Amino acid sequence: MTFLNLGLAIGGLACIAIPIAIHLLFRKRRKPIEWAAMQFLLEAYRKQRKRLTLEQLILLACRCLIIACIAFAVGRPVLNALGVLGGGSARTVYLLIDNSLAATAQDEGSDETALDRHKRDAIEALRALGDTDRAGLVFLGAPAEPIIVPASADIAAVIDTVETIEPTDAAADFAGALAAITAAATENEQPDPANSVVLILSDFLQGSLDPAQPAPGLGESLEGASLIASQPRTVAPGNTQITGIDPLRSLFFAQSTAGGVDALSAASVRVTLRRTGPTVAHSAVSNVRLRVETGRVAIGQSQEIGRSTVRWSPGQENASVSVVINAEAIPSLARGGAAAIIAEIDRDTIEGDNTFRLPIEVRDQMRVGVLARRRFTDNIRADRLAASEWLALALNPTDDSVIDVRTIDPASIDAAALAGLDAVLAPRPDLIDAAGWKRLRTFLDAGGLLAIFPPSETTVHLWTDAATRELGLPWTIARETIAHDEPLALDKEQPATPMLALLTGEFEALTSRVHFFQTLPIENAGAGAAVLRFNDGSPFIVADRPSTPATADENEPSATGRGLVICFASAPMLAWTDLPAKPLMVPLMNEIIREGLAQARGSWSAIAGQSPSAPARTVELADTASTDAPPVLITPTGTTTDPMRTAGLFRATDDRGALRGLVAVNASADAGRTNAVAPSTLESWFADAGFNPADINLIDPDQINGSYSQALTDDDASAASSLPYLVAALLFAILETLLARWFSHATADTRTSRTPGMNAANPRVNEGAA
């Protein structure tokens, strides 16, 4: 089309010579023939000669301008690029390619994915660009990657880069992509946004672009740019995906107790699934398989630990199934150390979301330190047991318990005493000095659990100020104890919290006879912090992560997101409550410490496109599925240096190569939705983003071959840009017709009487003769 436009332009301009040639030919002299009245006509002609010549030149100019305008309209793309029409700016084409999870969907009856089509179409479009054009390249997999921004004139290099694009398991980041090219256009002072073209290659399934999400704003530097995009895929593929794994426990113990495996034998995992696309209308069956993998086994070695089946009804979009873990399949594989539960379903259109990984911690034992003064007297009566002794009995009721309880003097809290502990219980916080609170804060930052109980030995609690300040508690603790004339009870309606999920079925029976006679109120607890409440609405147990202290150095990495502080409003003493002597005490303390520790460790899983957190002292992550993949480096703040866009399971190792844990990256559940988006909805979304609706062109790549290159050429030969020349040609044609009529002197004379010797057909000649 470039050469065609140039040829038409040259041919059109050459046609200007046609009216000039006709004009010159009609000027050829003929042999004069004299007759009687000739002298009067010659005299009149001589008097009107200058005016007639001017009229002829004006008509000649109009006819030449008509042809010139038509030539400019047809050949405008090349002439504009060459600066003939005053533009002189080469086009800048920003190419946005969807390599998100939705782009990995395979076409029906083919092994080709949507991304394969996008790459082929992108190369075709790039090859259609002119020598003066530039191209930018952005990959949409979140967060958007501006690979070639600002735009480059080396089109061949851009094509080579397109061929290297890899799929991701993340969502598409249109907002980030548009922000990147807007910033590039601003920094490079794009002179005319009308010379910019944004070309987006995507199937625009709901997983790539959700019209319900607000459209990003287009910067001023790109206002007026035209948009060429793929038409949304009308025949969307169906997809079934795993959206989550929810084990009843997050911390597992592999140590045998009373001849059986403690937690794994009775544990179950709830797997949630979702269907999207046309398959929702049909019944189907999905097979769910569970396997466990640890960081200590060879690559690819794992063992199945359970399976189940989901039967879908027509119209059903969401489902969940509980899979019971088979303890006999575990013993040697998952005993001690980091592990991950992996759920899988049958392979379908999008493979990336058929697998979901959840890191768990499998322990032989949990070590808990109780901060209290040692007592060496045995056989103490129950009403004289100290709070620390009640806690030790609740956590270690039998000799084969998986919880190892140690007593630590509050006056000797140091790094050595806290080393190796998973949780610390503080029934005597009044004996902890400022230095001790600082060391406990360091313990929390490392992923530890701290449980604080009000001391029964004092009525004025001055220790609360130091605890709140050093630990960065998100609540406040009163200074004075309240004695209740009418004992408080636990409310029948309690907050839904995973920390006590296993007690939900028996909670009402366990709490019906528990009373509280004294409490130390917890105030200003945030929403969601309450674990248990009294029947007056005040919290009995609150749990939250410590916030960053106000005295923290701004240059030091923040430790928020790890550790957990649990605070009790009543002491485990019979003078305060009868809870220690009730059946609720043992399961309550075990579940709170056990699940609290799992929350304190932090989540070592992330969604593709995020920078996951890693266990303490991790320096790099290594893919468990491949030894050839380069390691992912960890920053001082404990996150990866770059976002991880591909799902997988990774070993976290320290500077000595020792295993610190497992980190999981899962495919974005939202990115796997395959519902179709209507073209009108897509156009409205882009219009809201700032594109002029008249400049939005949706292309059906299956309609004709070379549709994207044709669209770019059509955009280059923009009808809107050529329209002024066509309008000008029409106006000149109308003007030429009117002037020709006026200059022809063909006016009618309605007078009936004529003067002899006068020319009735041309009064102006008569005027000249007079």
Side-chain angles (χ1 to χ4, degrees), residues 309-540:
T309 301
V310 175
R311 300 187 182 278
W312 301 90
S313 301
Q316 183 181 2
E317 295 183 357
N318 298 284
S320 62
V321 61
S322 293
V323 183
V324 178
I325 295 178
N326 178 14
E328 297 179 356
I330 294 178
S332 61
L333 183 62
R335 179 159 301 185
I341 296 177
I342 302 175
E344 297 173 326
I345 58 175
D346 303 326
R347 183 176 179 180
D348 61 2
T349 303
I350 299 178
E351 190 172 355
D353 55 10
N354 293 337
T355 303
F356 198 96
R357 308 155 188 86
L358 178 69
I360 60 173
E361 194 170 358
V362 182
R363 307 286 296 273
D364 291 328
Q365 207 173 38
M366 183 168 66
R367 292 170 290 277
V368 177
V370 179
L371 301 180
R373 291 171 177 167
R374 293 181 180 274
R375 297 210 304 175
F376 300 97
T377 304
D378 295 330
N379 300 321
I380 302 176
R381 289 176 7 191
D383 59 344
R384 295 184 180 180
L385 286 176
S388 59
E389 293 167 329
W390 280 115
L391 294 174
L393 286 173
L395 295 176
N396 198 354
T398 60
D399 294 336
D400 58 355
S401 174
V402 295
I403 300 179
D404 178 21
V405 180
R406 306 175 184 179
T407 302
I408 301 175
D409 193 327
S412 60
I413 299 177
D414 54 21
L418 297 176
L421 293 180
D422 299 305
V424 172
L425 309 184
R428 291 299 306 272
D430 55 315
L431 301 180
I432 303 175
D433 57 17
W437 288 117
K438 290 181 181 294
R439 294 187 182 98
L440 288 174
R441 176 53 197 256
T442 303
F443 172 76
L444 288 171
D445 291 343
L449 170 67
L450 174 62
I452 303 174
F453 302 83
S456 60
E457 291 77 6
T458 180
T459 56
V460 179
H461 301 267
L462 300 179
W463 58 270
T464 59
D465 295 337
T468 301
R469 181 180 64 255
E470 299 298 338
L471 299 182
L473 297 181
W475 58 75
T476 57
I477 305 173
R479 288 188 174 185
E480 295 186 2
T481 303
I482 297 178
H484 302 279
D485 295 334
E486 183 177 349
L488 297 178
L490 292 177
D491 196 357
K492 293 183 179 180
E493 298 292 333
Q494 294 292 342
T497 170
M499 194 174 292
L500 300 178
L502 287 180
L503 300 183
T504 302
E506 303 177 2
F507 189 78
E508 186 174 353
L510 291 173
T511 60
S512 59
R513 295 180 179 273
V514 178
H515 306 88
F516 299 88
F517 315 113
Q518 298 183 62
T519 59
L520 185 63
I522 302 172
E523 303 167 345
N524 304 319
V531 177
L532 287 179
R533 288 194 303 254
F534 294 120
N535 56 358
D536 65 353
S538 61
F540 167 42

Side-chain angles (χ1 to χ4, degrees), residues 110-132:
S110 172
D111 292 335
E112 186 180 52
T113 65
L115 179 58
D116 294 332
R117 285 189 283 105
H118 300 336
K119 292 166 64 175
R120 185 178 64 249
D121 294 336
I123 294 173
E124 168 199 315
L126 289 169
R127 287 174 177 166
L129 298 181
D131 295 336
T132 60

Side-chain angles (χ1 to χ4, degrees), residues 565-633:
V565 180
I566 301 177
C567 193
F568 290 74
S570 185
M573 295 286 292
L574 294 180
W576 283 57
T577 175
D578 56 10
L579 173 63
K582 298 296 183 180
L584 176 62
M585 182 65 174
V586 172
L588 176 66
M589 293 308 303
N590 274 268
E591 290 304 309
I592 281 185
I593 299 304
R594 195 162 168 167
E595 293 303 307
L597 177 59
Q599 294 184 24
R601 294 299 192 194
S603 175
W604 310 131
S605 62
I607 301 301
Q610 299 176 345
S611 295
S613 299
R617 297 191 294 277
T618 298
V619 296
E620 66 179 25
L621 302 179
D623 194 342
T624 60
S626 173
T627 57
D628 298 330
V632 180
L633 301 181

Side-chain angles (χ1 to χ4, degrees), residues 618-742:
T618 298
V619 296
E620 66 179 25
L621 302 179
D623 194 342
T624 60
S626 173
T627 57
D628 298 330
V632 180
L633 301 181
I634 302 299
T635 66
T637 59
T639 60
T640 56
T641 54
D642 298 309
M644 301 183 69
R645 299 177 174 86
T646 304
L649 187 64
F650 302 86
R651 292 188 185 88
T653 55
D654 58 20
D655 54 358
R656 298 177 299 174
L659 180 68
R660 304 298 306 172
L662 291 178
V663 175
V665 178
N666 291 301
S668 171
D670 290 338
R673 294 174 295 174
T674 58
N675 298 321
V677 177
S680 58
T681 303
L682 183 63
E683 290 178 348
S684 299
W685 193 87
F686 281 124
D688 293 340
F691 289 100
N692 188 338
D695 296 330
I696 299 175
N697 186 11
L698 299 185
I699 302 298
D700 183 0
D702 297 328
Q703 184 176 1
I704 55 172
N705 293 329
S707 55
Y708 291 103
S709 60
Q710 180 69 37
L712 282 173
T713 306
D714 291 344
D715 179 81
D716 197 16
S718 171
S721 299
S722 299
L723 183 61
Y725 296 98
L726 295 176
V727 172
L730 178 61
L731 294 177
F732 280 126
I734 296 173
L735 179 62
E736 190 276 340
T737 301
L738 295 175
L739 290 177
R741 177 70 177 174
W742 176 258

